[in-house]
Amino acid sequence: MEERREITGSKLKYNESGICPDILRAVEEMGFEIMTPIQEQAIPLLLEGKDVIGQAQTGTGKTAAFAIPMIQGVDPQLKKPQGIILCPTRELAMQAAEEIRRLAKYMHGIKVLPVYGGQEIGKQIRALSQGVQIIVGTPGRVMDHLRRHTIKTTYVKMIVLDEADEMLDMGFREDIETILSDMPEEHQMALFSATMPQAILDITGTYQKNAVYVRVTPKEITVAAIKQAYYRVAKKDKVAALCRLIDYYRPSRSLIFCNTKRMVDEITGTLKGKGYEAEGLHGDLTQYQRDTVMNLFRNGGCAILIATDVAARGIDVSGVDAVFNFDVPEDIEYYVHRIGRTGRAGRKGRSFTLISGREIFKIRDIEKICHTTIRERSLPTAADLTRVKSDRLFAQAGEIMEQKELSELKKSIELAAEEKNCSVLDLAAAFMQMHLGDAPEEIEEEKPYFERKRLGRREKGRGGERGARPDRGNRDGRGDRFGRADRGNRDGRGDRFGRSGKGERNEHFGRTGKGEKTEKFGRLGKGEKAEKFGRPGKGERLELGGGFLRRKNKK
């Protein structure tokens, strides 16, 4: 690698970076003015023709970081593939293709095509035959086209691996290496990844030349513009706590993350049953179902999307106000991916994490590795929720009073109050109750893990009544504060370890003399009766009765 650059901030404007006017016009139309940190470093390097390794998470603007140089380097007159972008999922391929189309809106003659599994390959072949300069696809489907010779790499100038770590996790390494080995000798390569495992470093070392390593620090990704909080909640109360937070903060669009498909289905069903506009997304859905759910979420048909980490790969929807971690992610890197879907493009965002028991240790690990602080907060109370709902209703009522003529309605209310023999205030309160509904039940927050462990030890007790400790000075033979008898007790009943004098009867662990009866572990003389562990003699059998095995003569 030629050099390493670590970046934490950006002030470079697009119109100061050497981007051609047609692309700048599209960027301005999209509402962007200042580059993100990864764009500030990667775009000039790629425009110079250098290979780049960019370490940055989803939501940092990396699509534009490689798309702008790729578009600027395309020859519109040449109707052959000149740029290839590999993505881990169909959703990410479609989203990247759509963003590239928007950036190339005023670059006439440039065509972009997404190719991915689940779509009829014949349709893709026909589109490729009409001339496409930029291809965005999943490794498996790009491989299919290379085998069929429907994609030819002769004129490819630039290839990009987007979300490289995700592609390796999904088992695409062999396909990626096959595709890279098919590239022309002279080409430019950019690789973007959230993490840099050894497998990725191996690829960069083999297929890149003097690459510049650009890294956006985790602190910049996770902290900027995102308010992070966690709440201690018992597992059985997590759904109620989730609903409480949604009702209190009222995000216009939110993502809820779970660790399992089963939990996604359960929460989706519960929220729908409570009247929320919610949809679930996981790997068991068909491609048609996935597309339907994502279109609903993008177009405002549903306000809440519940998803697993795997299914959410490639989700790039703007305007997500809040991310809820119903489950703490198993992998700390997933936490960064999750909350990175809010607080984008300079907007503010929130993340809420529900924890119980030992999950507090995962929160501490996340804080340490991501160089961030996740604050503990208390759930809004029932009174808080009622107050917030009331304030919203009053605000709506104020707007109506300013915009509408209400004189006729006032007369109707006064007449109704007279008929009901009540005041107008009573009637208004009844209307408020109709809108607010019954007050929700209080949710008891879980005590901190160490405090619960300490209380649990006390409740078990070590002697005496539950939770109480006997007097340390108790030496009357009934046991000290640990339930032990006085060491000096030698009255034949046994010392603190249950030992007795030789030949005496011991009720617990002692041995007895020959021919004596022992009640638990003692040995018996020949032919004696054993109440628990004795072995049957010839012609006898053992029978369970009264909690003991007894000998019986076989009949």
Side-chain angles (χ1 to χ4, degrees), residues 133-278:
Q133 287 93 352
I134 296 176
I135 295 167
V136 189
T138 53
R141 183 49 64 96
V142 172
M143 276 286 296
D144 286 344
H145 284 290
L146 289 175
R147 291 192 197 101
R148 294 167 181 261
H149 303 289
T150 48
I151 290 179
K152 295 181 180 179
T153 60
T154 308
Y155 298 99
V156 172
K157 301 176 182 178
M158 182 177 179
I159 184 166
V160 176
L161 273 59
D162 190 15
E163 305 282 5
D165 54 347
E166 301 285 2
M167 287 192 284
L168 293 182
D169 288 344
M170 296 169 73
F172 286 131
R173 177 168 182 168
E174 188 175 337
D175 289 350
I176 290 169
E177 292 185 338
T178 302
I179 293 167
L180 292 176
S181 62
D182 198 52
M183 293 297 111
E185 185 175 346
E186 293 298 324
H187 73 277
Q188 186 180 12
M189 179 179 166
L191 181 148
F192 290 85
S193 179
T195 58
M196 286 293 161
Q198 186 59 45
I200 288 179
L201 297 177
D202 292 342
I203 289 175
T204 61
T206 304
Y207 297 100
Q208 288 187 307
K209 298 177 182 178
N210 299 322
V212 181
Y213 181 17
V214 177
R215 179 173 181 261
V216 177
T217 64
K219 182 175 182 180
E220 172 68 20
I221 297 164
T222 60
V223 174
I226 302 174
K227 292 184 178 180
Q228 303 169 75
Y230 71 88
Y231 301 81
R232 299 180 189 267
V233 184
K235 284 187 178 180
K236 63 181 178 63
D237 293 326
K238 274 194 172 185
V239 173
L242 177 65
C243 294
R244 178 71 55 84
L245 291 169
I246 293 172
D247 291 342
Y248 185 80
Y249 289 102
R250 290 292 294 275
S252 60
R253 185 178 288 167
S254 56
L255 277 164
I256 300 171
F257 284 98
C258 304
N259 290 346
T260 64
K261 302 171 190 175
R262 180 179 176 183
M263 189 57 67
V264 167
D265 289 335
E266 287 182 8
I267 296 175
T268 303
T270 301
L271 292 185
K272 281 186 172 181
K274 291 178 178 289
Y276 296 93
E277 295 176 343

Side-chain angles (χ1 to χ4, degrees), residues 272-546:
K272 281 186 172 181
K274 291 178 178 289
Y276 296 93
E277 295 176 343
E279 295 292 340
L281 187 71
H282 56 66
D284 287 349
L285 300 182
T286 64
Q287 186 59 37
Y288 175 76
Q289 290 172 320
R290 289 163 67 93
D291 292 343
T292 301
V293 168
M294 285 307 304
N295 287 333
L296 282 171
F297 189 58
R298 285 195 192 96
N299 300 327
C302 78
I304 302 169
L305 181 66
I306 304 107
T308 57
D309 290 293
V310 174
R313 287 172 181 168
I315 290 179
D316 189 12
V317 180
S318 60
V320 175
D321 298 320
V323 169
F324 296 88
N325 296 306
F326 187 86
D327 297 316
V328 182
E330 297 295 336
D331 190 331
I332 290 174
E333 289 292 340
Y334 281 144
Y335 179 82
V336 177
H337 282 284
R338 287 180 179 186
I339 72 167
R341 288 173 168 81
T342 185
R344 294 187 176 190
R347 299 185 183 93
K348 292 182 179 180
R350 291 179 177 273
S351 78
F352 306 88
T353 304
L354 304 178
I355 70 165
S356 59
R358 296 176 62 87
E359 288 177 331
I360 184 61
F361 298 117
K362 290 184 180 179
I363 294 293
R364 298 293 173 250
D365 289 341
I366 290 169
E367 289 180 318
K368 182 179 179 181
I369 293 173
C370 297
H371 310 291
T372 187
T373 300
I374 308 173
R375 300 189 182 281
E376 181 179 1
R377 297 195 180 278
S378 297
L379 284 171
T381 63
D384 292 335
L385 188 57
T386 300
R387 176 181 51 78
V388 167
K389 286 183 175 181
S390 299
D391 290 345
R392 291 190 190 117
L393 284 174
F394 288 136
Q396 292 170 7
E399 292 176 3
I400 292 172
M401 285 190 292
E402 291 176 1
Q403 299 169 5
K404 302 288 184 180
E405 173 56 47
L406 304 175
S407 57
E408 291 299 321
L409 289 174
K410 288 178 183 178
K411 291 177 183 178
S412 299
I413 293 172
E414 289 173 352
L415 287 172
E418 289 177 8
E419 291 175 2
K420 300 288 183 183
N421 194 25
C422 65
S423 68
V424 173
L425 187 60
D426 290 335
L427 206 55
F431 279 123
M432 284 286 289
Q433 180 64 45
M434 288 169 57
H435 284 282
L436 293 174
D438 295 332
E441 294 182 3
E442 291 292 357
I443 301 170
E444 186 176 347
E445 294 191 35
E446 192 174 59
K447 290 183 172 63
Y449 177 75
F450 293 111
E451 185 177 337
R452 289 189 295 110
K453 292 287 284 184
R454 186 170 62 251
L455 289 172
R457 286 196 296 268
R458 286 186 180 179
E459 288 176 358
K460 287 180 182 178
R462 299 282 182 170
E465 294 183 2
R466 181 177 175 130
R469 291 184 176 179
D471 184 6
R472 295 188 182 189
N474 181 2
R475 293 292 183 268
D476 60 0
R478 289 177 294 176
D480 63 3
R481 67 189 179 104
F482 298 108
R484 300 181 299 208
D486 184 9
R487 295 189 182 192
N489 182 2
R490 295 292 185 270
D491 60 359
R493 291 179 292 172
D495 65 4
R496 68 188 179 106
F497 296 109
R499 298 181 296 211
S500 57
K502 186 176 179 181
E504 295 177 337
R505 182 183 179 211
N506 185 340
E507 295 186 354
H508 206 59
F509 296 105
R511 297 182 179 178
T512 56
K514 186 176 181 182
E516 293 181 337
K517 179 184 178 184
T518 179
E519 295 188 355
K520 197 159 187 181
F521 296 103
R523 297 180 181 177
L524 303 174
K526 187 175 180 181
E528 291 182 335
K529 179 184 178 184
E531 293 190 355
K532 193 161 187 181
F533 297 100
R535 297 180 180 177
K538 189 175 181 181
E540 293 181 328
R541 64 187 175 86
L542 289 177
E543 181 177 292
L544 184 64

